[in-house]
Every structure is written in C-alpha cells, then in structure tokens.
Amino acid sequence: MSNVEQTLSIIKPDAVERNLQENIKKIFVENGFNIKIEKKIKISKNEAEEFYKVHQSKPFYNELCSYLSSGPIVVMILEKDNAILENRKLMGATDPLKADEGTIRKKYGISIDKNSVHGSDSVDNAKIEIDFFFKS
Ligand code: UDP
Ligand code: MG
C-alpha cells in the first residue's frame, strides 16, 4: 500500500550561510523525495515564534527563534511515500553528535541548535507547517 505524504523541510540559517542548499537538496532527491515547491526567505522573530510555538515553554525557545530568524532559510514541501518519517530518518537526531552516519545532521550539523535542517514530526504538524509557509 502506498502512503504518499507531504512534509515541510527547512534548510536552516547555518546551512544556507555555508551554501549547502544544493548539496542538501541533492540528498533529498537521491533518497526519492520530490521537491514540490521551495522558496528562499528570511522570516521575522515574530514569525519564528509563531512557527516554533510548541516549544514556547522550553529554555531554548528564545535563542531558537532568534536563530531561525537570523538569516535566509530555504523552505520546501517534500513528497514521498511516508515522507514525514522518512525525512526524520534522513535528517538524523536533533543533536548532530548523536546522529547516525549517513544522515544530514551528522554530515552538516554544527551543534544541537545549529543542526542545519528542520522536518515536520507528524501528519498534523506537517499540515500546519506547510500551511504556515505556503498557504495562499
Ligand atoms: N534545540 C536547541 N536545543 C535543544 C533542543 C532543541 O536549540 O536542547 C533546537 C534545535 O534547533 C531543534 C529545534 O530546537 O532542531 C526544535 O527542537 P526539537 O526537539 O523539535 O528537534 P527536531 O524536531 O528539530 O529534531
Ligand atoms: Mg521538532
């Protein structure tokens, strides 16, 4: 049974700053993801606070929102069978030091905060996050 899903991926400021967007997009394509749409944008701190509001009680929330709004990002809708879980696997653990070999965060992540990529973690959040960036 096929289960084609869409998920939201973000190439975060640390990766865009190092010009890694083409390398990271290539990894997605090589792993069978279809990049349905993408845009390079810079968001405000308020927008980052809205995007990451599930984390508003966390000690790292303020820094996280400052960071995501600190420079250009690339936001993409990725499509594949089981895209949400498959993207999480390909990204690797939140902390690059704990990420498995062959994952994007292992390869490019700098630290737990500058970990190069975001990916939706559930069907519901994928929909909310896709709408956040792409709802017309
Ligand atoms: N983060 C951080 N410090 C932490 C945990 C998370 O700065 O101790 C940042 C990190 O950039 C991470 C984001 O907050 O990607 C969202 O955290 P989450 O637990 O949702 O990790 P993810 O889903 O991105 O793997
Ligand atoms: Mg998360």
Side-chain angles (χ1 to χ4, degrees):
M1 282 280 281
S2 77
N3 178 43
V4 177
E5 293 174 342
Q6 293 190 341
T7 191
L8 185 88
S9 172
I10 304 178
I11 303 176
K12 293 183 176 182
D14 67 275
V16 175
E17 187 176 82
R18 286 174 288 153
N19 250 304
L20 293 171
Q21 55 267 48
E22 291 309 318
N23 301 41
I24 291 173
K25 280 160 52 183
K26 188 160 174 271
I27 293 173
F28 286 129
V29 172
E30 283 173 353
N31 281 274
F33 289 89
N34 181 2
I35 302 171
K36 297 290 286 182
I37 184 168
E38 63 173 278
K39 61 182 177 184
K40 186 178 178 185
I41 54 173
K42 188 172 183 299
I43 61 172
S44 66
K45 176 116 189 249
N46 280 346
E47 289 169 315
E49 286 169 353
E50 174 65 21
F51 179 74
Y52 269 135
K53 69 180 176 204
V54 294
H55 291 304
Q56 61 193 349
S57 64
K58 308 276 174 62
F60 55 82
Y61 178 65
N62 185 50
E63 276 195 68
L64 173 61
C65 297
S66 296
Y67 165 63
L68 194 70
S69 57
S70 67
I73 58 176
V74 177
V75 293
M76 298 172 284
I77 298 175
L78 302 181
E79 193 174 82
K80 189 188 172 178
D81 227 42
N82 303 313
I84 295 159
L85 186 61
E86 290 296 308
N87 180 39
R88 297 287 304 186
K89 286 200 271 187
L90 188 57
M91 286 163 56
T94 306
D95 183 351
L97 287 174
K98 297 182 181 150
D100 288 339
E101 214 54 61
T103 63
I104 295 171
R105 283 168 164 172
K106 172 75 175 183
K107 189 162 190 191
Y108 293 126
I110 296 170
S111 56
I112 192 164
D113 48 328
K114 294 183 170 147
N115 57 10
S116 302
V117 280
H118 167 85
S120 310
D121 64 2
S122 66
V123 172
D124 287 350
N125 284 336
K127 191 178 182 321
I128 291 167
E129 292 179 0
I130 287 170
D131 283 353
F132 182 84
F133 285 110
F134 292 104
K135 197 165 185 151
S136 46

